[in-house]
Amino acid sequence: MRPAPLAIELFHSTFGRMPGALASAPGRLEILGNHTDYNEGLVLSCAAGFRTAAAVGLAEDDVVEAVSANLPGGRRRFALEDAAARGPAGEWSNYLRGLAAALSEHGVRVPGFRVAVASELPLAAGMSSSAALEISVLLALVDCLGLDFPPEQLARFGQEAESRAVGARTGLLDQLSSLCGRAGHLLQTEFRGLEQRHCPLPAEFAFVVADSGVKHDLAAEYNERRASCERAVEMLALVEPGLRSLRDADRSMLERHAGVLEPLALKRAWHVVGENARVREAVVRLRSGDAPGFGRLLSESHRSSQRYFENSCPELDALVELAEADPRCFGARLSGGGFGGVTVHLVEQGVAAAYAAELAERAEPALGKRPWTTVCPVGDGARLEDLQGRLAFNVDQE
Ligand code: GLA
């Protein structure tokens, strides 16, 4: 069963009534532009064609109760007054606590509510299942409250929830991609002014994702990388007055001031600045349908991750090496924060399914188990689902 009808059914069977709103949100694929979002840089991403649905209903108490079709352990429950306190590490309802806390900090009076979620996304695999959870719950909850926020604000609530739940100081990429993606398009985001453009994806381009199976606790490494970028900005600003973020730097500036920067900060900055340049070039390649040129940029990005940002791992490298040895693949790289999670591979539509299946088989010896691989459709962003239509449909099915 798809996530939306499943979420309704789960809500009904758990709470004995119908939800007040239903929303769904996709995961995301970071196509190019790694760790550039919090550096006011450029990213090409898309909404993955796999979604999470959330059915939400308000309650007349100050308690949140939630249930997931995918995660064991039954019903979760917390009092709203405890929302600011984090539950045990790895506990999925921490995202709901984070959302409730972020909304009330923003002045929204949040009453008790009930949530049922169902997802078709691989969880904690680097495709932002957490952003899909945050955004689907937010959209449904805000609808129940009769409120309306622009995507940028919704993304900030999600980002705040993420940072409260896992302690990582992430950027806005995951939430904005989940909210604003469009089927058949890549989303180009400029993270200084948050301007976005939808770039049509040539029909013959297809993305395959492969799960390295490595689930890394991202927070410590992620925050350390972000701090190095901030350090690079501090040092560069001493010699380049007016420089505000790595977005204002380029490779020749870094070369000029190589002596001023601490070696580690220079390496991290080199990756970010290179990623911005690659995104600019990729947009041109995309427009001319140049798959080999676009793919080469993906592979360069991965090498830069390995060498300069050091956010890859042997399993991700093994998947990219296999991709590079296969003439059907134009290029591949890690996608998202790194240190585990998925790789994304650009291939031609016609060979994508066979490529995905064979990649899983060929990767088994190196990874010690057969990885999950799939052709990842480029889907639409988050939306409220038509609850009335769904209810009628569900009743008909009974
Ligand atoms: C994670 C974060 C994003 C972004 C990417 C790396 O997905 O949540 O904000 O920084 O890593 O590009």
Side-chain angles (χ1 to χ4, degrees):
M1 203 190 274
R2 296 298 310 269
L6 193 54
I8 296 183
E9 204 172 279
L10 184 62
F11 190 98
H12 186 254
S13 62
T14 309
F15 304 115
R17 59 179 171 112
M18 281 301 177
L22 174 70
S24 75
R28 65 99 188 87
L29 276 186
E30 175 196 285
I31 302 297
L32 198 59
N34 188 240
H35 286 262
T36 50
D37 61 345
Y38 56 81
N39 287 303
E40 299 192 333
L42 307 171
V43 186
L44 276 174
S45 64
C46 65
F50 304 114
R51 307 179 77 84
T52 295
V56 173
L58 299 184
E60 282 169 9
D61 54 21
D62 287 324
V63 166
V64 176
E65 287 188 356
V67 62
S68 156
N70 306 84
L71 294 161
R75 211 189 284 203
R76 309 300 206 264
R77 184 186 160 90
F78 62 87
L80 279 168
E81 61 182 5
D82 299 331
R86 209 191 295 175
E91 167 52 42
W92 71 272
S93 58
N94 281 339
Y95 293 102
L96 305 181
R97 287 175 183 262
L99 285 178
L103 284 165
S104 21
E105 206 160 84
H106 192 77
V108 179
R109 149 106 190 89
V110 186
F113 60 95
R114 308 290 181 259
V115 187
V117 292
S119 184
E120 57 191 1
L121 271 159
L123 304 178
M127 288 176 75
S128 291
S129 54
S130 57
L133 170 67
E134 292 147 15
I135 298 301
S136 57
V137 172
L138 258 177
L139 277 187
L141 179 60
V142 158
D143 187 64
C144 285
L145 293 170
L147 299 173
D148 196 15
F149 293 104
E152 183 187 323
Q153 185 57 53
L154 291 171
R156 289 192 194 286
F157 290 141
Q159 178 193 38
E160 170 74 25
E162 188 84 33
S163 118
R164 285 173 174 272
V166 289
R169 294 173 55 221
T170 50
L172 285 170
L173 169 67
D174 306 346
Q175 292 80 8
L176 276 181
S177 306
S178 177
L179 278 158
C180 305
R182 185 185 291 172
H185 291 74
L186 292 190
L187 183 65
Q188 184 193 354
T189 310
E190 188 278 333
F191 280 90
R192 172 160 280 170
L194 293 185
E195 279 118 36
Q196 298 186 314
R197 256 179 359 112
H198 290 104
C199 311
L201 197 59
E204 60 276 14
F205 279 38
F207 295 112
V208 166
V209 294
D211 183 3
S212 68
V214 180
K215 296 193 195 307
H216 189 88
D217 170 18
L218 199 67
E221 301 273 18
Y222 189 96
N223 292 344
E224 187 272 330
R225 296 301 185 279
R226 184 164 178 163
S228 290
C229 293
E230 286 165 357
R231 183 86 189 108
V233 171
E234 264 170 43
M235 290 185 283
L236 277 174
L238 298 175
V239 283
E240 289 284 344
L243 179 131
R244 224 175 81 185
S245 70
L246 288 179
R247 174 63 186 284
D248 299 320
D250 59 18
R251 287 169 178 144
S252 63
M253 183 194 287
L254 293 182
E255 273 165 351
R256 250 194 339 272
H257 301 308
V260 175
L261 287 161
E262 285 163 10
L264 195 64
L266 176 60
K267 274 169 86 173
R268 307 305 189 230
W270 188 262
H271 175 67
V272 171
V273 160
E275 286 294 279
N276 283 335
R278 280 185 282 275
V279 170
R280 283 197 192 89
E281 190 181 336
V283 171
V284 178
R285 306 270 170 205
L286 200 59
R287 238 178 262 138
S288 59
D290 175 6
F294 192 95
R296 185 177 42 76
L297 294 166
L298 299 190
S299 295
E300 278 176 22
S301 164
H302 189 77
R303 271 191 292 281
S304 173
S305 268
Q306 288 175 304
R307 210 172 293 162
Y308 302 114
F309 216 69
E310 296 174 284
N311 61 334
S312 187
C313 66
E315 293 81 357
L316 290 168
D317 293 344
L319 288 164
V320 171
E321 259 167 50
L322 286 169
E324 287 178 345
D326 188 326
R328 293 172 299 179
C329 181
F330 296 113
R333 60 178 290 269
L334 65 85
S335 173
F339 311 104
V342 295
T343 49
V344 56
H345 305 233
L346 176 65
V347 294
E348 258 176 36
Q349 194 69 56
V351 303
Y355 175 86
E358 288 163 31
L359 177 64
E361 204 172 298
R362 285 163 51 229
E364 193 172 342
L367 268 52
K369 63 176 183 203
R370 187 174 287 225
W372 176 78
T373 64
T374 187
V375 181
C376 183
V378 175
D380 278 319
R383 59 175 175 252
L384 273 175
E385 301 281 350
D386 168 18
L387 188 56
Q388 293 317 315
R390 296 270 177 190
L391 291 183
F393 176 77
N394 275 15
V395 170
D396 286 351
Q397 296 276 301
E398 278 168 5

